[in-house]
Amino acid sequence: MGNNKKVGVLGLGRMGAALAGALLGAGHDVVVWNRSPLKAGPLLDRGARLAAMPAEAAEADVVLSCLSTYDTQQPVLDELTPSVLVNLTSGTPEQARGVAKWASSRGIDYVDGVIMAVPQGIGTPGARILYGGSPTAFAAQRDVLEVLGEPVFLGEDAGLAALYDLALLGIMWSTMSGYLHALALVGTEGVAPERFTPMALSWLSAVGGFLPGIGAQVASGEYTTDVSALDINAAGLKLLVETSRERGISTAVPAPLAELFGRAAAAGHGAHAIASVIEEIR
Ligand SMILES: NC(=O)c1ccc[n+]([C@@H]2O[C@H](COP(=O)([O-])OP(=O)(O)OC[C@H]3O[C@@H](n4cnc5c(N)ncnc54)[C@H](OP(=O)(O)O)[C@@H]3O)[C@@H](O)[C@H]2O)c1
C-alpha cells in the first residue's frame, strides 16, 4: 500500500489495543506505548513496534491517545510534542478544551474524538467516532481515522465531541436502566428476559420514532399536543412507581422521573406534550 502512515498509539487497554489492531490490519506502520508493555505482545506479533517511552511513539505522522482518564493521560502527554494529536480518551468538554489549549501552546495540531463503539466494533461498519478541533488536521488524517470507524467532524470547538458523547451516553444509560427496571418488574411474575426482550425492542423503535417530533417542539418552544398530555404520563409514572413498590422492587429508576414529570405538570405544563419537561430540566 502506497499511502501508509506512521501512527503512534498511546494506551493499549481494551480500546487502545483495538485501535492499534485495526490500524495494523489496514497496513499502517504502528508504534505503540503502554504503561504495562506486556499488553503489546499480540500487536507486536502482528507487526507493531514497541516504544520504550511515550515520546518514541510520538515520532509519527499522527498520534492517537486512548488512556483511562484525562488525569492519567496528561502526565503522558507532557512527555511529547507530536505534530498531530488525536485524543480519544473520554472526558468532559472542559477537559478536552484544556488539552486543546495545552496542545496549541506547544504548536501541536489537535483533534479531540469520542468513540461511539465498543472495542470489538472498531474497524467495522457500525463504529462511529465523533471529532472536533483542527479541521486541517482532521482532513489530513481522515484516511487513518476512517480505518477505526465512520469519522464525523462536528466543528472547530474541541469540546463538542465530549459534549455529544455524554449526551448520547445519557440516552444509552437511561434506556438501559429503563429496560433493567422493566426486566425486574416482569420478572416478579416469572417473565423471562428472552420472552420480554422482543417486545421491548419493537417498543423502543416506536419510541425512537417520537424523537424528531419532540425535538421540533423543543426547538420551537410550542408544546401543544393532541396525542398525549403530560398529566396522563405523570399519572402513568406514578402507577409504575406504585406497582414497583408493591412488587418489592426498587423505585430508583422511575421515581425521579415521576418526580420530574409531576414538577413539570405542577409548573403549568399538564396539558402540554412531554417535550415541555425540558423547561423543568433546564
Ligand atoms: N471500552 C469501551 O467500550 C470504550 C468505548 C468508548 C470509549 N472508551 C474510552 O477509551 C478509553 C480507554 O478505555 P479502555 O476500555 O481501553 O480502558 P482500559 O482497558 O481500562 O485501559 C486503560 C488504559 O489506560 C492506561 N492507564 C491507566 N492508568 C494509567 C496511568 N496512571 N498511567 C498510564 N497509563 C494508564 C492503562 O494502562 P495499563 O495497561 O498499564 O493499565 C490502559 O492502557 C477511556 O477513556 C474510555 O472511556 C472506551
Side-chain angles (χ1 to χ4, degrees):
M1 278 180 256
N3 52 356
N4 291 345
K5 285 184 169 164
K6 187 171 172 188
V7 186
V9 177
L10 304 171
L12 298 177
R14 291 170 195 86
M15 188 53 88
L19 301 173
L23 292 165
L24 284 170
H28 289 292
D29 174 13
V30 180
V31 51
V32 295
W33 175 85
N34 196 51
R35 177 181 62 173
S36 318
L38 281 180
K39 283 193 188 164
L43 294 163
L44 302 188
D45 292 345
R46 293 179 57 198
R49 287 176 298 118
L50 182 65
M53 304 293 288
E56 261 177 71
E59 293 160 17
D61 297 302
V62 53
V63 172
L64 311 184
S65 178
C66 190
L67 298 170
S68 49
T69 63
Y70 273 63
D71 288 344
T72 56
Q73 177 178 251
Q74 196 53 51
V76 175
L77 294 185
D78 282 335
E79 289 189 41
L80 35 112
T81 313
S83 54
V84 179
L85 174 66
V86 178
N87 175 17
L88 294 167
T89 298
S90 301
T92 67
E94 285 319 309
Q95 285 178 317
R97 288 179 186 133
V99 178
K101 212 167 152 193
W102 167 89
S104 155
S105 73
R106 293 173 82 126
I108 300 166
D109 240 351
Y110 182 70
V111 177
D112 191 274
V114 297
I115 302 170
M116 306 313 300
V118 294
Q120 292 72 10
I122 294 301
T124 70
R128 178 176 292 154
I129 306 187
L130 312 180
Y131 297 96
S134 162
T136 44
F138 175 78
Q141 304 307 330
R142 197 182 172 104
D143 54 341
V144 169
L145 303 179
E146 266 169 357
V147 169
L148 311 174
E150 180 200 354
V152 179
F153 190 72
L154 300 172
E156 290 193 35
D157 180 348
L160 266 183
L163 190 70
Y164 271 59
D165 186 38
L166 293 171
L168 291 168
L169 290 173
I171 295 175
M172 180 184 82
W173 288 319
S174 43
T175 304
M176 287 180 172
S177 303
Y179 171 60
L180 291 172
H181 183 85
L183 288 185
L185 187 61
V186 298
T188 63
E189 298 283 354
V191 178
E194 61 267 28
R195 190 162 148 221
F196 182 76
T197 300
M199 193 80 77
L201 265 180
S202 68
W203 179 237
L204 207 52
S205 103
V207 171
F210 290 123
L211 298 192
I214 293 176
Q217 287 197 308
V218 167
S220 68
E222 161 54 55
Y223 302 123
T224 53
T225 181
D226 55 5
V227 180
S228 177
L230 184 61
D231 267 343
I232 294 298
N233 287 277
L237 266 164
K238 268 191 180 168
L239 296 178
L240 177 58
V241 171
E242 266 168 46
T243 306
S244 303
R245 205 171 276 135
E246 279 165 18
R247 301 295 161 116
I249 66 167
S250 168
T251 60
V253 176
L257 298 178
E259 201 262 335
L260 175 67
F261 277 42
R263 240 182 321 125
H269 293 295
H272 288 156
I274 284 184
S276 63
V277 172
I278 195 157
E279 300 289 344
E280 206 53 36
I281 293 173
R282 279 174 177 155

